[in-house]
């Protein structure tokens, strides 16, 4: 997502819902679902895909970088 390229992935268990608007998930599990998603994705308008990737990058970089995430750990009360 940080690259600004559209991402196709299966949502991982425990992944916050706030990510849902920034990636495309196959509708079915396994290889068939992934292939269908790739085919559908490849037929999308390039401007849409570019905008979609940019939107994910704008979401991820300011708040989800490794530096930002580590800062949250260091600021947490639980480690004191």
């Amino acid at each position: 997502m940080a690259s600004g390229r559209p991402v196709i992935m299966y949502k991982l268990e425990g992944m916050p819902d706030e990510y849902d608007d920034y990636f495309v998930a196959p509708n079915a599990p396994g290889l068939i679902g992934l292939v269908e998603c790739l085919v559908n994705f490849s037929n999308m308008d390039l401007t849409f895909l570019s905008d979609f990737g940019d939107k994910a990058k704008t979401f991820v970089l300011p708040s989800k970088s490794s530096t930002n995430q580590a800062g949250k750990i260091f600021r947490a009360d639980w480690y004191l």
Side-chain angles (χ1 to χ4, degrees):
M1 289 180 195
S3 70
R5 300 287 188 194
V7 173
I8 296 174
M9 62 180 260
Y10 290 101
K11 186 171 182 179
L12 302 173
E13 188 174 319
M15 192 172 176
D17 292 340
E18 66 183 318
Y19 285 87
D20 290 355
D21 293 335
Y22 304 103
F23 69 92
V24 174
N27 291 326
L31 184 59
I32 299 297
L34 183 57
V35 169
E36 288 174 352
C37 188
L38 286 168
V39 168
N40 291 336
F41 214 66
S42 69
N43 290 324
M44 291 182 178
D45 178 70
L46 292 179
T47 301
F48 170 80
L49 292 174
S50 179
D51 291 346
F52 189 84
D54 287 342
K55 185 174 84 167
K57 183 177 182 177
T58 301
F59 164 71
V60 148
L61 285 183
S63 60
K64 306 300 179 189
S65 69
S66 58
T67 302
N68 186 277
Q69 296 298 75
K72 290 177 185 178
I73 292 169
F74 289 122
R75 288 187 302 270
D77 292 335
W78 60 265
Y79 78 92
L80 297 175

